[in-house]
Amino acid sequence: MVVPSLKLQDLIEEIRGARTQAQEREVIQKECAHIRASFRDGDPMLRHRQLAKLLYVHMLGYPAHFGQMECLKLIASSRFTDKRVGYLGAMLLLDERHDAHLLITNSIKNDLSQGIQPVQGLALCTLSTMGSAEMCRDLATEVEKLLLQPSPYVRKKAILTAVHMIRKVPELSNIFLPPCAKLLHERHHGILLGTITLITELCERSPEALRHFRKVIPQLAQILQTLVTTGYSTEHSISGVSDPFLQVQILRLLRILGRNHEESSETMNDLLAQVATNTDTSRNAGNAVLFETVLTIMDIRSAAGLRVLAVNILGRFLHNSDRNIRYVALMSLLRLVQSDHSAVQRHRPTVVECLQENDASLSRRALELSLALVNGSNVQAMMQELQAFLKSCPPDLRADCASGILLAAERFAPTKRWHIDTILHVLITAGSHVRDDAVANLTQLTGGQELHAYSVHRLYNALAEDISQQPLVQVAAWCIGEYGDLLLEGNFKETEPLQVEEEEVLALLEKVLQSHMSLPATRGYALTALMKLSTRLCGDNNRIRQVVSIYRSCLDMELQQRAVEYDTLFQKYNHMRAAILEKMPLVDRGGPQVDEEAKESKEAAQLSEAAPVPKESQASQLLDLLDLLDGASGNAQHPPLLDPSPGGALVHLPDLPCPPPPAPIPDLKVFEREGVRLNLSFIRPPENPPLLLIIVTATNSSENDVTHFICQAAVPKSLQLQLQAPSGNTVPARGGLPITQLFRILNPNKATLRLKLRLTYNHFGQLVQEIFEVNNLPVESWQ
Amino acid sequence: MQFMLLFSRQGKLRLQKWYVPLSDKEKKKITRELVQTVLARKPKMCSFLEWRDLKIVYKRYASLYFCCAIEDQDNELITLEIIHRYVELLDKYFGSVCELDIIFNFEKAYFILDEFLLGGEVQETSKKNVLKAIEQADLLQEVRYFPRCVTPFSF
């Protein structure tokens, strides 16, 4: 029975009429069967209709691979309708992973050379959408011929196809570079736009091209100037801005040409100022051009006045009623806050206002920026704002806000007392979101006796009100244990005199111990605190002894052990109890020296004398600490954290005692490709001879980011290899933050070290996979 | 631009244009996740979000979401203009376009997009020229065979 073939629109109607998923599937399966049959022996004139239906079905998520060959047939047909649908099918169904895709190369070649413009257009469009590297190589000369053809319709497409080809096969740059100069003289906007895009692509890939194209800067300036000063032209204007697409593209190219090049940057100053002041900013189109101008100003070696103008424009953006514009302003200011700190500081009040945004992504940016703007002179005012924000901010921002406040407090606290107040406030407001090391930090507070009394009073009050926030409870318990005697003195001047009875203190600690909200760690703190109080308080210790003995049979191993030990202290070793439970000496802050880190990272070249770190558990902790700094200041640009220099070890920590360093093993560069480099640093800790630590550092000096970076390794069977988690998966372009990863190799038999590495990553839009064995491993790494 | 997706408020895909080579499986995964992410956004939120290592620019026109993925160095604000221009083109072509037009004439939506963007970049900034090109191509579909010489496009 010959069923008349459904028209596309009827099929769509029928599919949409289906009530359930199952019904839809049925309709589609039936139709696909028809389509298959029709492909086999149906009317070739209707083939395009069948493919169109198949493409619709494909968009709904159903398999359509059996249509691939039909695309080829339709493309080869001489009817325009067939070609149109055939090429569309090729773009949707074929890609470089399918072997079939190469088969259309011939059809494209024919279509490109036939001289029928709409067909040439289809072919170029398809080539630039799904053309693989092989196809691009085969068709490069065809496309090159079309660059200088008379018709702008085809030329503009050929130019952008060339852009795609260069992305796929960078060597083709040689063919497409020469025509550019001539194309820049064209007046057709489409051709100009394509040419500028092409030049941008060429310059991004090759420093020679970059140098070569610097001489067209005057021409570009001319074009841009004409656009900016010309009046309204119906054809290319959007809201009073002449061809914003073209303007933005020119600005972007100028940015690339002027970057790191004084001479070129100087020639652009006036032009950029002109664009910045003449652009109508009432609508998005104008703001888009203005935004690109700001980005360019900030990235080239522009005059100081111009930079201030740019930052002010961003500041103005912050007041714009359009939240998209506020967003880009916050993002850009965040990127600038390190390099142009004082200029950005001027807009601090506005940034702080942005904390009140309803949109979470905006308030998050505002938070990062606010934290980056905190300095010695504004810290108190900022802290007030930030603490107010902490109370009302959405939960996912709480942790970052809390850490940020604590870090800022640490760096800039004007007085110790203010510092303590701030930390207390954070613990009370957002205690459960505070990072674990805040507890450790707080318990290391230095200060005179005055502050101990003050702290313990405030903590006691806070604890009495609320025992649910674990970090607060832990710190409070510790303090009460240490300074309980000060608490009971009760005659502290600055807070209201509070008569605290011994019984109350003990009752509170017991409450903490018994509460189901207390974590085991918290209970540990409380129990130890109780013990300490047994020497601090004057009363009878019976209550304490009772509590301790109850916990001797606690199910938690840690608590049980402590309780047993403490009980023994009461009984057999009572004479030693006072000595053991004495007050801790004031601890000097020996932990991460925050300011020193900042200084050290600026002197990147001086990191070569660092001592090898004895335990590599310190290594991952250090990286965590440095991450903490990154997170709080929201800084997008960082100098490399690890310097792969001879003796290659980690950042110098002045306080770590270490054995005299053995002769350092030289670093080894093991891989380089298109600006991506892999470097190995070797460490043999002297106290553990079989152990070899290798730090793998991946750096990126190219113009394109490296993403999804994974490094795997293999060693001979007689050695043991352990890979630790890498610091990340992305290496930003142009010397961005490298990825580091630690390998631990145990080689007790001093067997010859061989190392095979496997790298996979994305670079320039392509998947790179490299497997290689490392040659020239230094002998000292295993002998 | 890496890709552009059009989808309805119920998450049904109406158009997908990919400018990077990815497997079908990956495309489906990305589409699914991104659609979910965008649909979860509240109406008052800004049009930009960071997703994986891409910047996403999206805008809702009536019942359709237009969603583009751009690279780090691309300008978000001009991408909004790109989206808007595409909507204007559709509007002019279909005469007050609505989602149904795009559903029933999805091939036309692709053809129009392909006259505006090429390889992920803007190829023609004149609305008039884009629409003329589509008009001419539509006319060509009417004839059965190619005339010996086709009048060259003057735009």
Side-chain angles (χ1 to χ4, degrees), chain A residues 609-647:
Chain A
E609 292 313 301
V613 177
K615 296 175 253 176
E616 79 285 1
S617 59
Q618 301 277 10
S620 35
Q621 273 173 18
L622 274 176
L623 290 176
D624 285 347
L625 290 169
L626 292 164
D627 283 348
L628 179 69
L629 287 177
D630 295 356
S633 61
N635 187 359
Q637 284 149 350
H638 274 282
L641 286 174
L642 299 179
D643 188 15
S645 54

Side-chain angles (χ1 to χ4, degrees), chain A residues 705-724:
Chain A
D705 292 346
V706 164
T707 57
H708 303 94
F709 183 92
I710 297 177
C711 173
Q712 293 163 311
V715 294
K717 286 205 172 52
S718 51
L719 289 80
Q720 260 184 44
L721 171 67
Q722 197 186 61
L723 300 179
Q724 292 203 347

Side-chain angles (χ1 to χ4, degrees), chain A residues 116-244:
Chain A
I116 301 173
Q117 288 174 45
V119 173
Q120 288 172 316
L122 290 176
L124 287 169
C125 179
T126 306
L127 183 51
S128 67
T129 306
M130 49 74 71
S132 65
E134 295 96 31
M135 284 170 72
C136 290
R137 279 198 199 96
D138 285 341
L139 296 164
T141 25
E142 293 301 324
V143 173
E144 190 202 351
K145 275 192 252 174
L146 294 173
L147 283 180
L148 299 165
Q149 293 259 292
S151 151
Y153 176 76
V154 174
R155 285 169 87 181
K156 73 187 184 200
K157 291 183 194 266
I159 297 171
L160 285 178
T161 309
V163 173
H164 173 85
M165 288 180 149
I166 292 174
R167 286 182 181 153
K168 285 293 190 188
V169 187
E171 297 84 61
L172 291 174
S173 306
N174 300 327
I175 309 184
F176 293 119
L177 194 146
C180 287
K182 196 151 168 240
L183 288 168
L184 261 187
H185 289 284
E186 294 293 325
R187 314 213 31 203
H188 186 273
H189 281 228
I191 295 185
L192 272 178
L193 185 55
T195 307
I196 291 171
T197 312
L198 178 57
I199 297 178
T200 307
E201 194 67 36
L202 288 165
C203 290
E204 275 177 342
R205 281 169 192 275
S206 133
E208 295 95 61
L210 188 58
R211 274 192 290 272
H212 173 85
F213 282 115
R214 285 214 176 100
K215 53 185 201 278
V216 307
I217 292 180
Q219 224 176 328
L220 294 170
Q222 182 65 28
I223 302 174
L224 186 54
Q225 196 151 35
T226 317
L227 286 172
V228 170
T229 50
T230 308
Y232 182 73
S233 103
T234 41
E235 206 178 331
H236 296 286
S237 296
I238 303 182
S239 328
V241 180
S242 306
D243 208 336

Side-chain angles (χ1 to χ4, degrees), chain A residues 608-613 646-647 649 657-665 683-687:
Chain A
S608 44
E609 292 313 301
V613 177
C658 40
I665 309 175
I683 302 175
R684 297 281 303 276
E687 69 282 0

Side-chain angles (χ1 to χ4, degrees), chain A residues 8-9 12-13 16 24 45 52 55-56 58-59 61 78-81 84 88 91-92 95-97 116-119 125 128-129 151-153 156-157 160-161 167-168 188-190 193 197 204 235-236 238 243-245 248 252 255 284-285 287-288 291-292 323-325 327-328 331 359-361 365 707-708, chain B residues 12-19 21-24 26-28 41 43-50 53 55 72-78 80-82 85 100 103-108 110-111 114-116 118-119 121-129 133-134 137-138 140-141 144 146 150 152-155:
Chain A
L8 170 63
Q9 314 223 323
I12 298 179
E13 194 88 58
R16 285 170 64 80
E24 178 184 287
M45 296 290 277
L55 291 178
Y56 181 77
H58 174 252
M59 184 150 60
S78 52
R79 286 175 65 211
F80 186 68
T81 311
R84 226 182 176 190
L88 179 62
M91 285 191 274
L92 290 174
D95 65 48
E96 49 190 57
R97 286 147 205 275
I116 301 173
Q117 288 174 45
V119 173
C125 179
S128 67
T129 306
S151 151
Y153 176 76
K156 73 187 184 200
K157 291 183 194 266
L160 285 178
T161 309
R167 286 182 181 153
K168 285 293 190 188
H188 186 273
H189 281 228
L193 185 55
T197 312
E204 275 177 342
E235 206 178 331
H236 296 286
I238 303 182
D243 208 336
F245 301 113
V248 164
R252 193 158 141 192
R255 178 154 86 240
N284 185 60
N287 284 322
F291 180 49
E292 195 72 33
R323 74 177 59 86
N324 291 330
I325 302 210
Y327 180 84
V328 299
M331 291 289 291
D359 182 344
S361 44
R365 300 277 166 258
T707 57
H708 303 94
Chain B
K12 289 215 119 132
L13 200 59
R14 298 301 178 204
L15 187 143
Q16 50 174 335
K17 188 78 189 180
W18 298 85
Y19 293 109
L22 290 165
S23 71
D24 247 358
E26 281 167 325
K27 287 182 192 168
K28 285 209 171 113
R41 305 267 292 178
K44 289 289 185 184
M45 296 177 96
C46 72
S47 294
F48 312 130
L49 60 105
E50 270 138 49
D53 55 348
K55 296 202 277 199
D72 213 36
Q73 62 270 36
D74 291 331
N75 181 332
E76 290 95 323
L77 298 178
I78 206 74
L80 278 177
E81 289 301 324
I82 292 179
R85 173 57 65 88
L100 281 178
I103 295 172
F104 282 93
N105 299 286
F106 72 96
E107 347 80 272
K108 296 284 174 25
Y110 276 106
F111 298 149
D114 286 340
E115 288 297 333
F116 176 43
L118 200 82
E121 309 286 341
V122 177
Q123 66 174 290
E124 179 57 69
T125 56
S126 156
K127 242 191 293 187
K128 190 177 73 167
N129 286 352
I134 298 289
D138 282 349
L140 269 181
Q141 282 200 221
R144 285 199 75 124
F146 280 120
V150 178
F153 292 171
S154 55
F155 46 84

